[in-house]
């Protein structure tokens, strides 16, 4: 499994799947979620509504998969990151679950190339250095790693990009 780092808008990435930092409603929000729904179009929202009608809200740490609508990716994997509230261990485990469950869904759907944004580090205020450690560690320890060809960490802000540069040793 190759790890790649780029600074970009994730809606422009042509991967098999891009991951959305969604909220539990699955009905869209601000930040990367807003960008994905805006650019991906109504097909993504329709698919999210169908999932909600079937299973209700998406719990923190869980993930669901939909079409990517008009985006260049094939799928969007929506995962709900924890809102940072200072309960370190609980929040850290939930963030790790987001990466783990997204990768599990990727494998189930034969996704070979997956792009992650920096989940929870925007509106949800997860400390960026901790979040980067969790993202990299969880991806590196994923049991079915050989089934994924490439994981792209997509950073949007300089602070996250520089943290990942350091932590990935690039
Ligand atoms: P959360 O609610 O999980 O914190 P946000 O969308 O507010 O989600 O932020 C998560 C991360 O996504 C932040 O690091 C933010 O800079 C980044 N981000 C925002 N817009 C985009 C985008 N279009 N592409 C990639 N990353 C983005």
């Amino acid at each position: 499994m190759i790890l790649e780092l780029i600074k970009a808008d994730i809606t422009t990435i042509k991967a098999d799947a891009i991951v959305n930092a969604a909220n539990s409603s699955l009905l869209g929000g601000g930040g990367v979620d807003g960008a994905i729904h805006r650019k991906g179009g109504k097909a993504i929202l329709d698919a999210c509504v169908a999932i909600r009608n079937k299973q209700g809200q998406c719990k923190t740490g869980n993930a669901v998969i939909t079409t990517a609508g008009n985006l260049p990716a094939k799928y969007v994997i929506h995962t709900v990151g924890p809102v940072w509230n200072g309960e370190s261990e609980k929040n850290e485990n939930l963030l790790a679950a987001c990466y783990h469950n997204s990768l599990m869904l990727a494998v189930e759907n034969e996704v070979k190339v997956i792009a992650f944004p920096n989940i929870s580090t925007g509106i949800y205020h997860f400390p960026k250095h901790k979040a980067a450690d969790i993202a990299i560690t969880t991806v590196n320890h994923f049991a079915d790693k050989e089934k994924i060809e490439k994981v792209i960490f997509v950073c949007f802000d300089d602070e996250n990009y520089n943290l990942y540069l350091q932590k990935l040793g690039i």
Side-chain angles (χ1 to χ4, degrees), residues 21-152:
N23 58 54
S24 54
S25 80
L26 295 176
L27 299 182
V32 69
D33 195 9
I36 286 172
H37 279 281
R38 230 175 6 255
K39 296 201 188 154
K42 192 169 170 290
I44 300 179
L45 187 62
D46 288 347
C48 286
V49 168
I51 290 169
R52 269 193 60 129
N53 290 343
K54 212 165 114 193
Q55 67 164 52
Q57 299 216 333
C58 185
K59 290 201 181 101
T60 306
N62 287 0
V64 300
I65 190 165
T66 68
T67 171
N70 302 325
L71 297 175
K74 206 186 297 174
Y75 300 113
V76 176
I77 293 175
H78 307 260
T79 188
V80 182
V83 178
W84 178 259
N85 65 359
E87 289 180 61
S88 303
E89 200 180 331
K90 186 174 167 204
N91 294 167
E92 286 165 19
N93 289 339
L94 286 168
L95 186 61
C98 288
Y99 285 90
H100 178 79
N101 289 327
S102 297
L103 290 168
M104 295 279 282
L105 262 186
V107 168
E108 273 172 37
N109 288 276
E110 294 178 358
V111 164
K112 300 290 177 204
V113 179
I114 179 169
F116 281 100
N118 307 131
I119 301 165
S120 282
T121 67
I123 300 158
Y124 284 2
H125 290 299
F126 206 104
K128 290 181 180 176
H129 68 96
K130 270 190 209 277
D133 281 338
I134 292 164
I136 294 167
T137 307
T138 308
V139 166
N140 271 330
H141 289 171
F142 184 58
D144 263 345
K145 270 160 96 147
E146 77 286 352
K147 295 197 178 137
I148 307 264
E149 279 165 19
K150 197 193 317 186
V151 172
I152 311 173

